[in-house]
Amino acid sequence: MPGPTAASAAPAGGARTLARSYRRFGEVEAAGISPLHERVAIALSESDEALRAVEAAPARKRGPALVLAALHDLAVAGRAPALAAAYAAADGEAAARAAVDVLLRQTDRVVALVARRRVRTGETGRCAVLYPAIAEAARRVGADAVGLIDVGCSAGLNLVVDRVGISYDNGQSLGDPSSSVRLSCSVVGNRPVPTRALPEVVARIGVDLDPVDVTDADEVRWLRACAWPDRPERMAGLEAELALAAANPPLLLTGDAVDLLPDAFALVPADALPVVTTTWALSGFPLEARLRFLHRLDEAAAGRPVAWVSAEGVGVAPAVPTLGDRRASGHSTLGLSVLDGSTLRAEAVGRCWSRGRLLAWLAGS
């Protein structure tokens, strides 16, 4: 019998790169956060057959986070019972075996999922930094009502900012104390967070190339599948957030945010302040698109005041001061820009870390 060929004896260059990617995901990105995904990712990196199955997907759709989410989706949907049972039991070895088996037996389903999906995040933790900034924008304009426009909205969880309960570790609180969604945030520095309440929210509009409709069971299942399978507390929080959003779902606009901003502004009642929010969304825009985004805000401000609240990496949000901070400095800038006619007032009102879990408020109260 002939011996194995060179191609079958060792993974090809592409497979080796893929194997390193999955091993790194397990040993670095999932380590200490999700032992299940850590073990599954490493198991996939060690299986030539599994890697060949992954290579059936489009090249840009072979990343470990996306493939692991697809496997989790099949488990949640009841199409991979052994994997679902291993996840429920938090059995890493069983999950690793089941994941490889599902990938080999249901390659076509996995490939179809990753081809049309992208990794989603559902985080209302961002509301802890958005709430005081939106309230400050309304105060500066003297607005009694606001219309929220969230760019890169995903599931639109930023749009329930007024309906969550937020506790800061210095004893301050904001939002609805009776809300089923409770968020916590640590305050950095000695300056307190302003505790003025948001005015009435009269419009909730999400703009995204591929938004999640929280009333669509298939979309919601995928959002669940993108969560770590062994973080029950986070899953419980996500369920509460989704229920809160579904109780008053936003109006979703699908397409390029820069192109759709005029349509979004037109949906905000004339007597309300449009407040555009971006949370770590503009980094995916080329500079030219970010500048066009600012120009769209300026165009809208010709007719009425407009506010923009941004939580972005240092130097990402155009016109927002960097405070002398360096890019990739480990924190983000919380910006507040008010546009009224030909006037633009842009200020860095805070610094934040961990996607809104820590906040240093800088502006005067």
Side-chain angles (χ1 to χ4, degrees):
M1 178 180 293
T5 65
S8 63
R16 285 196 297 270
T17 300
L18 203 58
R20 287 195 295 268
S21 172
Y22 275 74
R23 179 167 288 279
R24 184 186 185 283
F25 183 89
E27 294 179 344
V28 176
E29 297 183 45
I33 301 174
S34 174
L36 286 174
H37 270 182
E38 176 184 2
R39 184 66 196 95
V40 169
I42 291 173
L44 296 182
S45 79
E46 295 172 342
S47 168
D48 293 347
E49 289 182 299
L51 294 175
R52 281 194 292 272
V54 171
E55 287 184 314
R60 61 186 181 85
K61 294 285 194 169
R62 298 172 185 171
L66 184 57
V67 171
L68 265 62
L71 293 170
H72 193 192
D73 184 83
L74 293 175
V76 173
R79 291 178 170 173
L83 182 59
Y87 280 161
D91 186 335
E93 293 305 317
R97 292 191 299 271
V100 171
D101 183 67
V102 171
L103 187 53
L104 298 183
R105 292 177 181 272
Q106 302 189 52
T107 302
D108 290 347
R109 278 182 174 159
V110 174
V111 169
L113 274 171
V114 300
R116 68 184 182 92
R117 295 292 194 182
R118 61 186 176 92
V119 177
R120 300 285 194 175
T121 58
E123 298 178 85
T124 49
R126 306 171 185 197
C127 291
V129 299
L130 290 177
Y131 192 113
I134 296 171
E136 176 64 14
R139 182 193 72 82
R140 293 185 182 187
V141 175
D144 296 322
V146 297
L148 302 179
I149 302 170
D150 191 40
V151 170
C153 66
S154 188
L157 301 183
N158 285 346
L159 294 167
V160 297
V161 59
D162 58 317
R163 302 176 62 211
V164 304
I166 307 167
S167 300
Y168 298 91
D169 69 348
N170 63 356
Q172 295 180 285
S173 62
L174 284 171
D176 181 359
S178 65
S179 176
S180 58
V181 176
R182 304 293 305 173
L183 306 177
S184 59
C185 179
S186 299
V187 175
V188 178
N190 298 320
R191 184 166 301 209
V193 177
T195 54
R196 66 180 55 86
L198 274 177
E200 182 184 7
V201 176
V202 296
R204 304 172 198 270
I205 303 158
V207 186
D208 200 318
L209 285 171
D210 183 24
V212 175
D213 180 354
V214 292
T215 67
D216 185 312
D218 187 57
E219 294 290 316
V220 169
R221 189 185 70 242
W222 177 253
L223 199 60
R224 293 188 183 108
C226 290
W228 303 107
D230 44 4
R231 296 288 298 277
E233 76 292 343
R234 179 65 194 109
M235 190 66 76
L238 177 61
E239 295 294 344
E241 294 160 9
L242 290 169
L244 189 64
N248 190 6
L251 178 61
L252 300 176
L253 301 182
T254 303
D256 181 88
V258 177
D259 292 339
L260 289 174
L261 270 180
D263 295 335
F265 284 122
L267 294 168
V268 177
D271 57 351
L273 171 69
V275 180
V276 179
T277 56
T278 65
T279 55
W280 298 281
L282 294 186
S283 58
F285 289 38
L287 178 59
E288 181 272 335
R290 279 180 266 157
L291 295 175
R292 284 198 302 118
F293 169 83
L294 187 60
H295 181 63
R296 290 292 196 195
L297 299 181
D298 186 59
E299 288 177 334
R304 58 173 166 174
V306 170
W308 168 35
V309 172
S310 56
E312 303 284 354
V314 175
V316 171
V320 175
T322 62
L323 304 173
D325 298 339
R326 296 181 177 180
R327 290 178 180 269
S329 56
H331 68 268
S332 298
T333 304
L334 179 62
L336 171 55
S337 303
V338 176
L339 303 92
D340 190 357
S342 60
T343 303
L344 166 63
R345 299 184 298 278
E347 182 181 351
V349 295
R351 295 185 177 97
C352 56
W353 295 258
S354 299
R355 300 292 171 121
R357 266 58 179 188
L358 296 92
L359 171 64
W361 187 262
L362 303 176
S365 58

